[in-house]
PDB file of all heavy atoms in Angstrom:
ATOM      1  N   ASN A  13      -0.559 -16.850 -13.544  1.00 97.00           N
ATOM      2  CA  ASN A  13      -0.109 -16.333 -14.832  1.00 97.00           C
ATOM      3  C   ASN A  13       0.951 -17.269 -15.396  1.00 97.00           C
ATOM      4  O   ASN A  13       2.099 -17.252 -14.979  1.00 97.00           O
ATOM      5  CB  ASN A  13       0.457 -14.922 -14.659  1.00 97.00           C
ATOM      6  CG  ASN A  13       1.044 -14.368 -15.946  1.00 97.00           C
ATOM      7  OD1 ASN A  13       0.824 -14.905 -17.026  1.00 97.00           O
ATOM      8  ND2 ASN A  13       1.793 -13.283 -15.825  1.00 97.00           N
ATOM      9  N   ALA A  14       0.566 -18.090 -16.343  1.00 97.00           N
ATOM     10  CA  ALA A  14       1.500 -19.030 -16.971  1.00 97.00           C
ATOM     11  C   ALA A  14       1.922 -18.568 -18.355  1.00 97.00           C
ATOM     12  O   ALA A  14       2.507 -19.332 -19.117  1.00 97.00           O
ATOM     13  CB  ALA A  14       0.858 -20.420 -17.056  1.00 97.00           C
ATOM     14  N   THR A  15       1.639 -17.309 -18.684  1.00 97.00           N
ATOM     15  CA  THR A  15       1.923 -16.811 -20.028  1.00 97.00           C
ATOM     16  C   THR A  15       3.387 -16.452 -20.237  1.00 97.00           C
ATOM     17  O   THR A  15       3.848 -16.381 -21.373  1.00 97.00           O
ATOM     18  CB  THR A  15       1.092 -15.553 -20.337  1.00 97.00           C
ATOM     19  OG1 THR A  15       1.514 -14.486 -19.466  1.00 97.00           O
ATOM     20  CG2 THR A  15      -0.392 -15.822 -20.126  1.00 97.00           C
ATOM     21  N   GLY A  16       4.105 -16.155 -19.158  1.00 96.00           N
ATOM     22  CA  GLY A  16       5.469 -15.674 -19.294  1.00 96.00           C
ATOM     23  C   GLY A  16       5.552 -14.187 -19.578  1.00 96.00           C
ATOM     24  O   GLY A  16       6.649 -13.642 -19.719  1.00 96.00           O
ATOM     25  N   VAL A  17       4.404 -13.494 -19.655  1.00 95.00           N
ATOM     26  CA  VAL A  17       4.388 -12.037 -19.785  1.00 95.00           C
ATOM     27  C   VAL A  17       4.469 -11.468 -18.373  1.00 95.00           C
ATOM     28  O   VAL A  17       3.515 -11.548 -17.603  1.00 95.00           O
ATOM     29  CB  VAL A  17       3.111 -11.544 -20.494  1.00 95.00           C
ATOM     30  CG1 VAL A  17       3.121 -10.019 -20.614  1.00 95.00           C
ATOM     31  CG2 VAL A  17       2.992 -12.189 -21.867  1.00 95.00           C
ATOM     32  N   VAL A  18       5.619 -10.903 -18.046  1.00 96.00           N
ATOM     33  CA  VAL A  18       5.876 -10.517 -16.658  1.00 96.00           C
ATOM     34  C   VAL A  18       4.963  -9.381 -16.216  1.00 96.00           C
ATOM     35  O   VAL A  18       4.315  -9.464 -15.163  1.00 96.00           O
ATOM     36  CB  VAL A  18       7.354 -10.127 -16.490  1.00 96.00           C
ATOM     37  CG1 VAL A  18       7.632  -9.691 -15.051  1.00 96.00           C
ATOM     38  CG2 VAL A  18       8.262 -11.304 -16.859  1.00 96.00           C
ATOM     39  N   LEU A  19       4.915  -8.304 -16.989  1.00 94.00           N
ATOM     40  CA  LEU A  19       4.026  -7.180 -16.664  1.00 94.00           C
ATOM     41  C   LEU A  19       2.765  -7.308 -17.517  1.00 94.00           C
ATOM     42  O   LEU A  19       2.592  -6.592 -18.495  1.00 94.00           O
ATOM     43  CB  LEU A  19       4.730  -5.853 -16.937  1.00 94.00           C
ATOM     44  CG  LEU A  19       5.767  -5.421 -15.912  1.00 94.00           C
ATOM     45  CD1 LEU A  19       6.569  -4.241 -16.432  1.00 94.00           C
ATOM     46  CD2 LEU A  19       5.101  -5.060 -14.595  1.00 94.00           C
ATOM     47  N   HIS A  20       1.898  -8.227 -17.146  1.00 94.00           N
ATOM     48  CA  HIS A  20       0.688  -8.507 -17.926  1.00 94.00           C
ATOM     49  C   HIS A  20      -0.392  -7.526 -17.495  1.00 94.00           C
ATOM     50  O   HIS A  20      -0.980  -7.651 -16.420  1.00 94.00           O
ATOM     51  CB  HIS A  20       0.241  -9.947 -17.683  1.00 94.00           C
ATOM     52  CG  HIS A  20      -0.666 -10.492 -18.742  1.00 94.00           C
ATOM     53  ND1 HIS A  20      -1.822  -9.849 -19.130  1.00 94.00           N
ATOM     54  CD2 HIS A  20      -0.590 -11.622 -19.510  1.00 94.00           C
ATOM     55  CE1 HIS A  20      -2.423 -10.553 -20.067  1.00 94.00           C
ATOM     56  NE2 HIS A  20      -1.696 -11.622 -20.326  1.00 94.00           N
ATOM     57  N   THR A  21      -0.659  -6.517 -18.337  1.00 90.00           N
ATOM     58  CA  THR A  21      -1.608  -5.462 -17.977  1.00 90.00           C
ATOM     59  C   THR A  21      -2.983  -6.031 -17.642  1.00 90.00           C
ATOM     60  O   THR A  21      -3.624  -5.604 -16.676  1.00 90.00           O
ATOM     61  CB  THR A  21      -1.726  -4.439 -19.118  1.00 90.00           C
ATOM     62  OG1 THR A  21      -0.446  -3.830 -19.319  1.00 90.00           O
ATOM     63  CG2 THR A  21      -2.735  -3.354 -18.782  1.00 90.00           C
ATOM     64  N   ASN A  22      -3.457  -6.995 -18.424  1.00 92.00           N
ATOM     65  CA  ASN A  22      -4.789  -7.552 -18.191  1.00 92.00           C
ATOM     66  C   ASN A  22      -4.862  -8.377 -16.915  1.00 92.00           C
ATOM     67  O   ASN A  22      -5.955  -8.615 -16.386  1.00 92.00           O
ATOM     68  CB  ASN A  22      -5.223  -8.410 -19.381  1.00 92.00           C
ATOM     69  CG  ASN A  22      -5.208  -7.641 -20.687  1.00 92.00           C
ATOM     70  OD1 ASN A  22      -4.614  -8.067 -21.664  1.00 92.00           O
ATOM     71  ND2 ASN A  22      -5.841  -6.468 -20.708  1.00 92.00           N
ATOM     72  N   LEU A  23      -3.720  -8.818 -16.430  1.00 95.00           N
ATOM     73  CA  LEU A  23      -3.686  -9.622 -15.201  1.00 95.00           C
ATOM     74  C   LEU A  23      -3.181  -8.816 -14.006  1.00 95.00           C
ATOM     75  O   LEU A  23      -2.773  -9.383 -12.995  1.00 95.00           O
ATOM     76  CB  LEU A  23      -2.816 -10.870 -15.406  1.00 95.00           C
ATOM     77  CG  LEU A  23      -3.268 -11.815 -16.530  1.00 95.00           C
ATOM     78  CD1 LEU A  23      -2.377 -13.054 -16.571  1.00 95.00           C
ATOM     79  CD2 LEU A  23      -4.730 -12.209 -16.372  1.00 95.00           C
ATOM     80  N   GLY A  24      -3.184  -7.481 -14.122  1.00 93.00           N
ATOM     81  CA  GLY A  24      -2.886  -6.659 -12.953  1.00 93.00           C
ATOM     82  C   GLY A  24      -1.467  -6.150 -12.850  1.00 93.00           C
ATOM     83  O   GLY A  24      -1.086  -5.590 -11.821  1.00 93.00           O
ATOM     84  N   ARG A  25      -0.668  -6.350 -13.890  1.00 93.00           N
ATOM     85  CA  ARG A  25       0.719  -5.881 -13.896  1.00 93.00           C
ATOM     86  C   ARG A  25       1.508  -6.419 -12.710  1.00 93.00           C
ATOM     87  O   ARG A  25       1.503  -7.613 -12.471  1.00 93.00           O
ATOM     88  CB  ARG A  25       0.765  -4.348 -13.963  1.00 93.00           C
ATOM     89  CG  ARG A  25       0.373  -3.787 -15.324  1.00 93.00           C
ATOM     90  CD  ARG A  25       0.601  -2.300 -15.392  1.00 93.00           C
ATOM     91  NE  ARG A  25       0.189  -1.780 -16.695  1.00 93.00           N
ATOM     92  CZ  ARG A  25      -0.154  -0.535 -16.913  1.00 93.00           C
ATOM     93  NH1 ARG A  25      -0.115   0.341 -15.926  1.00 93.00           N
ATOM     94  NH2 ARG A  25      -0.505  -0.136 -18.117  1.00 93.00           N
ATOM     95  N   ALA A  26       2.190  -5.554 -11.948  1.00 95.00           N
ATOM     96  CA  ALA A  26       3.198  -6.018 -10.991  1.00 95.00           C
ATOM     97  C   ALA A  26       2.606  -6.662  -9.740  1.00 95.00           C
ATOM     98  O   ALA A  26       1.863  -6.007  -9.010  1.00 95.00           O
ATOM     99  CB  ALA A  26       4.096  -4.853 -10.583  1.00 95.00           C
ATOM    100  N   PRO A  27       2.928  -7.928  -9.477  1.00 96.00           N
ATOM    101  CA  PRO A  27       2.608  -8.500  -8.165  1.00 96.00           C
ATOM    102  C   PRO A  27       3.432  -7.772  -7.108  1.00 96.00           C
ATOM    103  O   PRO A  27       4.574  -7.377  -7.361  1.00 96.00           O
ATOM    104  CB  PRO A  27       3.049  -9.966  -8.289  1.00 96.00           C
ATOM    105  CG  PRO A  27       3.217 -10.210  -9.752  1.00 96.00           C
ATOM    106  CD  PRO A  27       3.597  -8.895 -10.359  1.00 96.00           C
ATOM    107  N   LEU A  28       2.876  -7.595  -5.935  1.00 98.00           N
ATOM    108  CA  LEU A  28       3.558  -6.817  -4.905  1.00 98.00           C
ATOM    109  C   LEU A  28       4.522  -7.659  -4.085  1.00 98.00           C
ATOM    110  O   LEU A  28       4.316  -8.859  -3.879  1.00 98.00           O
ATOM    111  CB  LEU A  28       2.533  -6.176  -3.975  1.00 98.00           C
ATOM    112  CG  LEU A  28       1.610  -5.138  -4.617  1.00 98.00           C
ATOM    113  CD1 LEU A  28       0.616  -4.606  -3.595  1.00 98.00           C
ATOM    114  CD2 LEU A  28       2.400  -4.005  -5.233  1.00 98.00           C
ATOM    115  N   ALA A  29       5.562  -6.998  -3.584  1.00 98.00           N
ATOM    116  CA  ALA A  29       6.524  -7.643  -2.705  1.00 98.00           C
ATOM    117  C   ALA A  29       5.865  -7.952  -1.364  1.00 98.00           C
ATOM    118  O   ALA A  29       4.878  -7.309  -0.975  1.00 98.00           O
ATOM    119  CB  ALA A  29       7.733  -6.726  -2.494  1.00 98.00           C
ATOM    120  N   ARG A  30       6.417  -8.931  -0.664  1.00 98.00           N
ATOM    121  CA  ARG A  30       5.852  -9.295   0.643  1.00 98.00           C
ATOM    122  C   ARG A  30       5.838  -8.091   1.585  1.00 98.00           C
ATOM    123  O   ARG A  30       4.888  -7.882   2.341  1.00 98.00           O
ATOM    124  CB  ARG A  30       6.664 -10.433   1.267  1.00 98.00           C
ATOM    125  CG  ARG A  30       6.112 -10.926   2.598  1.00 98.00           C
ATOM    126  CD  ARG A  30       6.885 -12.134   3.096  1.00 98.00           C
ATOM    127  NE  ARG A  30       6.780 -13.229   2.167  1.00 98.00           N
ATOM    128  CZ  ARG A  30       5.758 -14.080   2.122  1.00 98.00           C
ATOM    129  NH1 ARG A  30       4.738 -13.922   2.964  1.00 98.00           N
ATOM    130  NH2 ARG A  30       5.729 -15.061   1.255  1.00 98.00           N
ATOM    131  N   ALA A  31       6.882  -7.271   1.538  1.00 98.00           N
ATOM    132  CA  ALA A  31       6.938  -6.092   2.404  1.00 98.00           C
ATOM    133  C   ALA A  31       5.789  -5.143   2.100  1.00 98.00           C
ATOM    134  O   ALA A  31       5.224  -4.522   3.014  1.00 98.00           O
ATOM    135  CB  ALA A  31       8.276  -5.372   2.210  1.00 98.00           C
ATOM    136  N   ALA A  32       5.412  -5.026   0.832  1.00 98.00           N
ATOM    137  CA  ALA A  32       4.293  -4.163   0.460  1.00 98.00           C
ATOM    138  C   ALA A  32       2.971  -4.728   0.965  1.00 98.00           C
ATOM    139  O   ALA A  32       2.103  -3.981   1.442  1.00 98.00           O
ATOM    140  CB  ALA A  32       4.256  -3.998  -1.057  1.00 98.00           C
ATOM    141  N   LEU A  33       2.812  -6.044   0.870  1.00 98.00           N
ATOM    142  CA  LEU A  33       1.581  -6.674   1.370  1.00 98.00           C
ATOM    143  C   LEU A  33       1.444  -6.499   2.878  1.00 98.00           C
ATOM    144  O   LEU A  33       0.355  -6.228   3.398  1.00 98.00           O
ATOM    145  CB  LEU A  33       1.582  -8.161   1.011  1.00 98.00           C
ATOM    146  CG  LEU A  33       1.609  -8.497  -0.480  1.00 98.00           C
ATOM    147  CD1 LEU A  33       1.708 -10.002  -0.687  1.00 98.00           C
ATOM    148  CD2 LEU A  33       0.369  -7.952  -1.170  1.00 98.00           C
ATOM    149  N   GLU A  34       2.549  -6.636   3.569  1.00 98.00           N
ATOM    150  CA  GLU A  34       2.527  -6.461   5.023  1.00 98.00           C
ATOM    151  C   GLU A  34       2.211  -5.017   5.394  1.00 98.00           C
ATOM    152  O   GLU A  34       1.494  -4.753   6.365  1.00 98.00           O
ATOM    153  CB  GLU A  34       3.875  -6.885   5.610  1.00 98.00           C
ATOM    154  CG  GLU A  34       4.126  -8.383   5.496  1.00 98.00           C
ATOM    155  CD  GLU A  34       5.548  -8.775   5.888  1.00 98.00           C
ATOM    156  OE1 GLU A  34       6.382  -7.856   6.082  1.00 98.00           O
ATOM    157  OE2 GLU A  34       5.822  -9.984   5.998  1.00 98.00           O
ATOM    158  N   ALA A  35       2.727  -4.069   4.609  1.00 97.00           N
ATOM    159  CA  ALA A  35       2.451  -2.665   4.865  1.00 97.00           C
ATOM    160  C   ALA A  35       0.973  -2.348   4.660  1.00 97.00           C
ATOM    161  O   ALA A  35       0.365  -1.604   5.438  1.00 97.00           O
ATOM    162  CB  ALA A  35       3.314  -1.793   3.957  1.00 97.00           C
ATOM    163  N   ILE A  36       0.379  -2.942   3.628  1.00 98.00           N
ATOM    164  CA  ILE A  36      -1.055  -2.741   3.375  1.00 98.00           C
ATOM    165  C   ILE A  36      -1.872  -3.269   4.552  1.00 98.00           C
ATOM    166  O   ILE A  36      -2.809  -2.613   5.025  1.00 98.00           O
ATOM    167  CB  ILE A  36      -1.473  -3.435   2.073  1.00 98.00           C
ATOM    168  CG1 ILE A  36      -0.893  -2.710   0.865  1.00 98.00           C
ATOM    169  CG2 ILE A  36      -2.999  -3.513   1.959  1.00 98.00           C
ATOM    170  CD1 ILE A  36      -1.128  -3.410  -0.453  1.00 98.00           C
ATOM    171  N   ALA A  37      -1.526  -4.470   5.022  1.00 97.00           N
ATOM    172  CA  ALA A  37      -2.270  -5.073   6.127  1.00 97.00           C
ATOM    173  C   ALA A  37      -2.180  -4.214   7.385  1.00 97.00           C
ATOM    174  O   ALA A  37      -3.175  -4.017   8.097  1.00 97.00           O
ATOM    175  CB  ALA A  37      -1.733  -6.475   6.404  1.00 97.00           C
ATOM    176  N   ARG A  38      -0.983  -3.680   7.664  1.00 96.00           N
ATOM    177  CA  ARG A  38      -0.810  -2.860   8.871  1.00 96.00           C
ATOM    178  C   ARG A  38      -1.687  -1.611   8.812  1.00 96.00           C
ATOM    179  O   ARG A  38      -2.311  -1.230   9.804  1.00 96.00           O
ATOM    180  CB  ARG A  38       0.656  -2.443   9.028  1.00 96.00           C
ATOM    181  CG  ARG A  38       1.584  -3.542   9.499  1.00 96.00           C
ATOM    182  CD  ARG A  38       2.912  -2.959   9.967  1.00 96.00           C
ATOM    183  NE  ARG A  38       3.578  -2.180   8.944  1.00 96.00           N
ATOM    184  CZ  ARG A  38       4.421  -2.681   8.055  1.00 96.00           C
ATOM    185  NH1 ARG A  38       4.687  -3.984   8.065  1.00 96.00           N
ATOM    186  NH2 ARG A  38       4.996  -1.910   7.158  1.00 96.00           N
ATOM    187  N   VAL A  39      -1.721  -0.982   7.651  1.00 96.00           N
ATOM    188  CA  VAL A  39      -2.458   0.269   7.523  1.00 96.00           C
ATOM    189  C   VAL A  39      -3.959   0.030   7.386  1.00 96.00           C
ATOM    190  O   VAL A  39      -4.771   0.811   7.888  1.00 96.00           O
ATOM    191  CB  VAL A  39      -1.926   1.067   6.307  1.00 96.00           C
ATOM    192  CG1 VAL A  39      -2.849   2.227   5.968  1.00 96.00           C
ATOM    193  CG2 VAL A  39      -0.522   1.584   6.598  1.00 96.00           C
ATOM    194  N   ALA A  40      -4.352  -1.060   6.728  1.00 96.00           N
ATOM    195  CA  ALA A  40      -5.767  -1.300   6.431  1.00 96.00           C
ATOM    196  C   ALA A  40      -6.567  -1.735   7.647  1.00 96.00           C
ATOM    197  O   ALA A  40      -7.778  -1.491   7.715  1.00 96.00           O
ATOM    198  CB  ALA A  40      -5.891  -2.342   5.327  1.00 96.00           C
ATOM    199  N   GLN A  41      -5.920  -2.378   8.616  1.00 95.00           N
ATOM    200  CA  GLN A  41      -6.691  -2.976   9.709  1.00 95.00           C
ATOM    201  C   GLN A  41      -7.057  -1.994  10.817  1.00 95.00           C
ATOM    202  O   GLN A  41      -7.745  -2.347  11.763  1.00 95.00           O
ATOM    203  CB  GLN A  41      -5.911  -4.146  10.313  1.00 95.00           C
ATOM    204  CG  GLN A  41      -4.602  -3.763  10.971  1.00 95.00           C
ATOM    205  CD  GLN A  41      -3.786  -4.978  11.384  1.00 95.00           C
ATOM    206  OE1 GLN A  41      -4.208  -6.114  11.179  1.00 95.00           O
ATOM    207  NE2 GLN A  41      -2.633  -4.748  11.978  1.00 95.00           N
ATOM    208  N   GLY A  42      -6.624  -0.757  10.701  1.00 94.00           N
ATOM    209  CA  GLY A  42      -6.971   0.229  11.729  1.00 94.00           C
ATOM    210  C   GLY A  42      -6.790   1.637  11.212  1.00 94.00           C
ATOM    211  O   GLY A  42      -6.838   1.892  10.010  1.00 94.00           O
ATOM    212  N   TYR A  43      -6.581   2.563  12.117  1.00 95.00           N
ATOM    213  CA  TYR A  43      -6.346   3.943  11.747  1.00 95.00           C
ATOM    214  C   TYR A  43      -4.867   4.158  11.458  1.00 95.00           C
ATOM    215  O   TYR A  43      -4.013   3.340  11.822  1.00 95.00           O
ATOM    216  CB  TYR A  43      -6.813   4.871  12.867  1.00 95.00           C
ATOM    217  CG  TYR A  43      -8.294   4.742  13.158  1.00 95.00           C
ATOM    218  CD1 TYR A  43      -8.760   4.024  14.262  1.00 95.00           C
ATOM    219  CD2 TYR A  43      -9.232   5.338  12.312  1.00 95.00           C
ATOM    220  CE1 TYR A  43     -10.115   3.898  14.518  1.00 95.00           C
ATOM    221  CE2 TYR A  43     -10.592   5.216  12.564  1.00 95.00           C
ATOM    222  CZ  TYR A  43     -11.032   4.496  13.666  1.00 95.00           C
ATOM    223  OH  TYR A  43     -12.363   4.371  13.906  1.00 95.00           O
ATOM    224  N   SER A  44      -4.559   5.281  10.811  1.00 94.00           N
ATOM    225  CA  SER A  44      -3.174   5.539  10.428  1.00 94.00           C
ATOM    226  C   SER A  44      -2.895   7.042  10.423  1.00 94.00           C
ATOM    227  O   SER A  44      -3.800   7.856  10.614  1.00 94.00           O
ATOM    228  CB  SER A  44      -2.904   4.973   9.029  1.00 94.00           C
ATOM    229  OG  SER A  44      -3.652   5.688   8.058  1.00 94.00           O
ATOM    230  N   THR A  45      -1.648   7.382  10.204  1.00 93.00           N
ATOM    231  CA  THR A  45      -1.236   8.791  10.161  1.00 93.00           C
ATOM    232  C   THR A  45      -1.317   9.331   8.738  1.00 93.00           C
ATOM    233  O   THR A  45      -0.442  10.082   8.299  1.00 93.00           O
ATOM    234  CB  THR A  45       0.209   8.933  10.690  1.00 93.00           C
ATOM    235  OG1 THR A  45       1.071   8.094   9.888  1.00 93.00           O
ATOM    236  CG2 THR A  45       0.308   8.545  12.141  1.00 93.00           C
ATOM    237  N   LEU A  46      -2.367   8.970   8.014  1.00 93.00           N
ATOM    238  CA  LEU A  46      -2.491   9.368   6.616  1.00 93.00           C
ATOM    239  C   LEU A  46      -2.359  10.882   6.451  1.00 93.00           C
ATOM    240  O   LEU A  46      -1.599  11.368   5.622  1.00 93.00           O
ATOM    241  CB  LEU A  46      -3.827   8.893   6.044  1.00 93.00           C
ATOM    242  CG  LEU A  46      -4.098   9.282   4.587  1.00 93.00           C
ATOM    243  CD1 LEU A  46      -3.081   8.650   3.651  1.00 93.00           C
ATOM    244  CD2 LEU A  46      -5.512   8.882   4.183  1.00 93.00           C
ATOM    245  N   GLU A  47      -3.116  11.624   7.240  1.00 92.00           N
ATOM    246  CA  GLU A  47      -3.047  13.081   7.189  1.00 92.00           C
ATOM    247  C   GLU A  47      -3.017  13.641   8.606  1.00 92.00           C
ATOM    248  O   GLU A  47      -3.788  14.545   8.971  1.00 92.00           O
ATOM    249  CB  GLU A  47      -4.229  13.651   6.398  1.00 92.00           C
ATOM    250  CG  GLU A  47      -4.205  13.301   4.918  1.00 92.00           C
ATOM    251  CD  GLU A  47      -5.328  13.950   4.134  1.00 92.00           C
ATOM    252  OE1 GLU A  47      -6.202  14.593   4.763  1.00 92.00           O
ATOM    253  OE2 GLU A  47      -5.344  13.833   2.893  1.00 92.00           O
ATOM    254  N   PHE A  48      -2.103  13.101   9.428  1.00 92.00           N
ATOM    255  CA  PHE A  48      -2.003  13.542  10.814  1.00 92.00           C
ATOM    256  C   PHE A  48      -0.538  13.622  11.205  1.00 92.00           C
ATOM    257  O   PHE A  48       0.241  12.691  10.972  1.00 92.00           O
ATOM    258  CB  PHE A  48      -2.738  12.569  11.738  1.00 92.00           C
ATOM    259  CG  PHE A  48      -2.821  13.046  13.159  1.00 92.00           C
ATOM    260  CD1 PHE A  48      -3.757  14.006  13.521  1.00 92.00           C
ATOM    261  CD2 PHE A  48      -1.970  12.549  14.131  1.00 92.00           C
ATOM    262  CE1 PHE A  48      -3.833  14.456  14.831  1.00 92.00           C
ATOM    263  CE2 PHE A  48      -2.040  12.995  15.435  1.00 92.00           C
ATOM    264  CZ  PHE A  48      -2.985  13.948  15.794  1.00 92.00           C
ATOM    265  N   ASP A  49      -0.158  14.751  11.793  1.00 91.00           N
ATOM    266  CA  ASP A  49       1.219  14.987  12.230  1.00 91.00           C
ATOM    267  C   ASP A  49       1.319  14.659  13.712  1.00 91.00           C
ATOM    268  O   ASP A  49       0.738  15.359  14.559  1.00 91.00           O
ATOM    269  CB  ASP A  49       1.601  16.446  11.975  1.00 91.00           C
ATOM    270  CG  ASP A  49       3.076  16.708  12.213  1.00 91.00           C
ATOM    271  OD1 ASP A  49       3.624  16.187  13.198  1.00 91.00           O
ATOM    272  OD2 ASP A  49       3.682  17.448  11.414  1.00 91.00           O
ATOM    273  N   LEU A  50       2.034  13.607  14.034  1.00 92.00           N
ATOM    274  CA  LEU A  50       2.145  13.173  15.429  1.00 92.00           C
ATOM    275  C   LEU A  50       2.899  14.184  16.281  1.00 92.00           C
ATOM    276  O   LEU A  50       2.613  14.332  17.481  1.00 92.00           O
ATOM    277  CB  LEU A  50       2.839  11.809  15.492  1.00 92.00           C
ATOM    278  CG  LEU A  50       2.064  10.625  14.916  1.00 92.00           C
ATOM    279  CD1 LEU A  50       2.932   9.374  14.928  1.00 92.00           C
ATOM    280  CD2 LEU A  50       0.784  10.381  15.698  1.00 92.00           C
ATOM    281  N   ASP A  51       3.866  14.885  15.710  1.00 90.00           N
ATOM    282  CA  ASP A  51       4.656  15.850  16.483  1.00 90.00           C
ATOM    283  C   ASP A  51       3.824  17.037  16.929  1.00 90.00           C
ATOM    284  O   ASP A  51       3.937  17.499  18.073  1.00 90.00           O
ATOM    285  CB  ASP A  51       5.848  16.341  15.659  1.00 90.00           C
ATOM    286  CG  ASP A  51       6.879  15.251  15.425  1.00 90.00           C
ATOM    287  OD1 ASP A  51       6.957  14.332  16.273  1.00 90.00           O
ATOM    288  OD2 ASP A  51       7.594  15.308  14.414  1.00 90.00           O
ATOM    289  N   THR A  52       2.985  17.551  16.057  1.00 93.00           N
ATOM    290  CA  THR A  52       2.206  18.743  16.383  1.00 93.00           C
ATOM    291  C   THR A  52       0.783  18.437  16.815  1.00 93.00           C
ATOM    292  O   THR A  52       0.109  19.288  17.398  1.00 93.00           O
ATOM    293  CB  THR A  52       2.150  19.682  15.168  1.00 93.00           C
ATOM    294  OG1 THR A  52       1.449  19.019  14.100  1.00 93.00           O
ATOM    295  CG2 THR A  52       3.559  20.045  14.704  1.00 93.00           C
ATOM    296  N   GLY A  53       0.323  17.216  16.515  1.00 93.00           N
ATOM    297  CA  GLY A  53      -1.058  16.872  16.828  1.00 93.00           C
ATOM    298  C   GLY A  53      -2.054  17.563  15.927  1.00 93.00           C
ATOM    299  O   GLY A  53      -3.235  17.664  16.262  1.00 93.00           O
ATOM    300  N   THR A  54      -1.586  18.040  14.780  1.00 92.00           N
ATOM    301  CA  THR A  54      -2.460  18.736  13.840  1.00 92.00           C
ATOM    302  C   THR A  54      -2.513  17.990  12.517  1.00 92.00           C
ATOM    303  O   THR A  54      -1.822  16.985  12.329  1.00 92.00           O
ATOM    304  CB  THR A  54      -1.959  20.171  13.591  1.00 92.00           C
ATOM    305  OG1 THR A  54      -0.627  20.105  13.064  1.00 92.00           O
ATOM    306  CG2 THR A  54      -1.963  20.975  14.885  1.00 92.00           C
ATOM    307  N   ARG A  55      -3.318  18.531  11.602  1.00 92.00           N
ATOM    308  CA  ARG A  55      -3.466  17.893  10.308  1.00 92.00           C
ATOM    309  C   ARG A  55      -2.144  17.889   9.545  1.00 92.00           C
ATOM    310  O   ARG A  55      -1.432  18.881   9.498  1.00 92.00           O
ATOM    311  CB  ARG A  55      -4.530  18.616   9.476  1.00 92.00           C
ATOM    312  CG  ARG A  55      -4.729  17.999   8.095  1.00 92.00           C
ATOM    313  CD  ARG A  55      -5.959  18.531   7.412  1.00 92.00           C
ATOM    314  NE  ARG A  55      -6.163  17.868   6.121  1.00 92.00           N
ATOM    315  CZ  ARG A  55      -7.310  17.887   5.468  1.00 92.00           C
ATOM    316  NH1 ARG A  55      -8.353  18.525   5.970  1.00 92.00           N
ATOM    317  NH2 ARG A  55      -7.433  17.260   4.304  1.00 92.00           N
ATOM    318  N   GLY A  56      -1.832  16.739   8.938  1.00 89.00           N
ATOM    319  CA  GLY A  56      -0.640  16.626   8.116  1.00 89.00           C
ATOM    320  C   GLY A  56      -1.016  16.477   6.655  1.00 89.00           C
ATOM    321  O   GLY A  56      -2.157  16.752   6.265  1.00 89.00           O
ATOM    322  N   SER A  57      -0.067  16.047   5.851  1.00 89.00           N
ATOM    323  CA  SER A  57      -0.311  15.886   4.415  1.00 89.00           C
ATOM    324  C   SER A  57       0.052  14.474   3.983  1.00 89.00           C
ATOM    325  O   SER A  57       1.109  13.952   4.351  1.00 89.00           O
ATOM    326  CB  SER A  57       0.527  16.889   3.616  1.00 89.00           C
ATOM    327  OG  SER A  57       0.469  16.609   2.233  1.00 89.00           O
TER     328      SER A  57
END
């Protein structure tokens, strides 16, 4: 993006922070606690 429009809607708006990219990779490559409560072993939210 060489336009200088920081939040360019047509180009996807906000680029993500490195911490966000790393979080996506951690969650995407396997299973996660999306809807699972580790303390009770039951369905979470």
Side-chain angles (χ1 to χ4, degrees):
N13 175 14
T15 66
V17 180
V18 179
L19 284 169
H20 200 307
T21 298
N22 303 128
L23 301 184
R25 288 187 181 156
L28 296 179
R30 183 175 299 277
L33 298 176
E34 292 171 351
I36 290 174
R38 285 195 303 271
V39 168
Q41 64 188 0
Y43 299 102
S44 67
T45 57
L46 178 63
E47 293 184 354
F48 187 79
D49 189 318
L50 292 175
D51 292 333
T52 64
T54 59
R55 180 168 183 163
S57 171

